[in-house]
Amino acid sequence: STADPAPAAAESAGYSAEAPAEVPVAVSDATTPAPVSLSAAKMDGTLIEADLSDVKTVPEVRSRIANALGKKNGKWVKLLVDDRNIPDESELSDLGSKCTVVVTDPYMLDGKAVKMIAGSAVYGFRSVVYFEDGSTKFSNSYETFFPLIEECGFKMYTSFDDDRYYRGEQFEAIRVEDDDPSEWVENVKSNTVNLATVGSFTGWQRKNSIRGAGGFLGSNTKEGNIPPCPI
């Protein structure tokens, strides 16, 4: 039989990989799985150069596709058969003859693509997730989204407000592909250039901003009153 991709699953992902229509997928009835002939392609049909000719395990399939796409690891690659996820412990032959490989967006929360995350522990606690579609998600905690930052592998820039009474840490976490070190400067000593306006701070600062990283999330930041994303 030939490959029969799962359209509903593929439409929600940025990429898909499937057994070519003209090449049968090898299925083994023996205990030793036979190689699965797969080709990976973007949704627009552009092929992804991932060598899957000699794969022997399900994790290896996911890892090679992830590497070819420059992703952090294979955990963002899902192998589906009739919309059923094939976990790592499965036999390679479980991919069967109707295999679809879906590469999920690695920066996802609540089904939406994350653009950046910021937080402040100055004059209270708050953090915000900025999504690609322009929407946001607010939290009254400083560390709510730390697990997401770690999972996504975002680059985190922090600063420390030196206010005499309300000092505290602030941060901006951005995607690795958006990170340009030349746009940042590190203040080892307190920056007091705009003391009357933003006070003093140490740590990282965008060169086009007078505030430290995350300083744009003022004390009045709350649900319904969230500053625009700085990038």
Side-chain angles (χ1 to χ4, degrees):
S1 60
T2 57
D4 181 17
E11 287 176 1
S12 66
Y15 304 94
S16 70
E18 59 192 50
E22 69 277 12
V23 179
V25 175
V27 180
S28 173
D29 294 325
T31 56
T32 301
V36 179
S37 178
L38 296 173
S39 65
K42 294 182 180 181
M43 292 299 292
D44 62 6
T46 304
L47 290 177
I48 300 170
E49 296 182 4
D51 181 10
L52 306 175
S53 61
D54 60 345
V55 292
K56 295 180 173 60
T57 66
V58 172
E60 191 175 2
V61 173
R62 298 195 302 110
S63 178
R64 290 198 186 186
I65 293 175
N67 288 338
L69 294 172
K71 303 304 180 184
K72 189 175 181 181
N73 56 50
K75 69 181 179 180
W76 296 317
V77 176
K78 292 184 178 180
L79 306 181
L80 305 178
V81 173
D82 297 329
D83 290 334
R84 178 173 59 89
N85 182 52
I86 305 300
D88 283 352
E89 58 270 20
S90 301
E91 297 291 342
L92 188 62
S93 58
D94 289 343
L95 292 175
S97 61
K98 296 181 179 180
C99 171
T100 297
V101 178
V102 177
V103 180
T104 60
D105 190 321
Y107 313 131
M108 296 292 287
L109 178 65
D110 299 338
K112 296 186 289 185
V114 177
K115 186 173 185 179
M116 75 163 285
I117 305 169
S120 175
V122 181
Y123 298 100
F125 303 96
R126 54 205 170 275
S127 54
V128 178
V129 175
Y130 290 89
F131 295 102
E132 284 284 2
D133 64 4
S135 62
T136 59
K137 184 169 184 175
F138 176 79
S139 171
N140 284 311
S141 170
Y142 180 68
E143 301 178 351
T144 297
F145 305 114
F146 277 17
L148 177 64
I149 293 171
E150 182 177 0
E151 178 182 347
C152 293
F154 279 17
K155 177 64 178 291
M156 192 168 179
Y157 288 93
T158 60
S159 67
F160 192 86
D161 190 294
D162 293 330
D163 185 283
R164 181 178 179 184
Y165 299 107
Y166 298 99
R167 53 177 49 200
E169 189 180 69
Q170 306 167 115
F171 76 86
E172 293 179 35
I174 59 179
R175 300 174 298 196
V176 175
E177 55 265 39
D178 292 334
D179 180 33
D180 182 355
S182 67
E183 295 179 351
W184 296 84
V185 60
E186 185 176 16
N187 298 279
V188 178
K189 296 182 179 180
S190 292
N191 183 322
T192 58
V193 175
N194 295 283
L195 184 62
T197 305
V198 300
S200 63
F201 60 89
T202 56
W204 293 99
Q205 170 192 12
R206 290 181 181 276
K207 289 183 178 180
N208 63 355
S209 173
I210 63 173
R211 303 177 184 276
F216 69 95
L217 291 181
S219 59
N220 61 342
T221 298
K222 59 184 179 180
E223 192 70 59
N225 185 37
I226 297 176
C229 182
I231 60 174

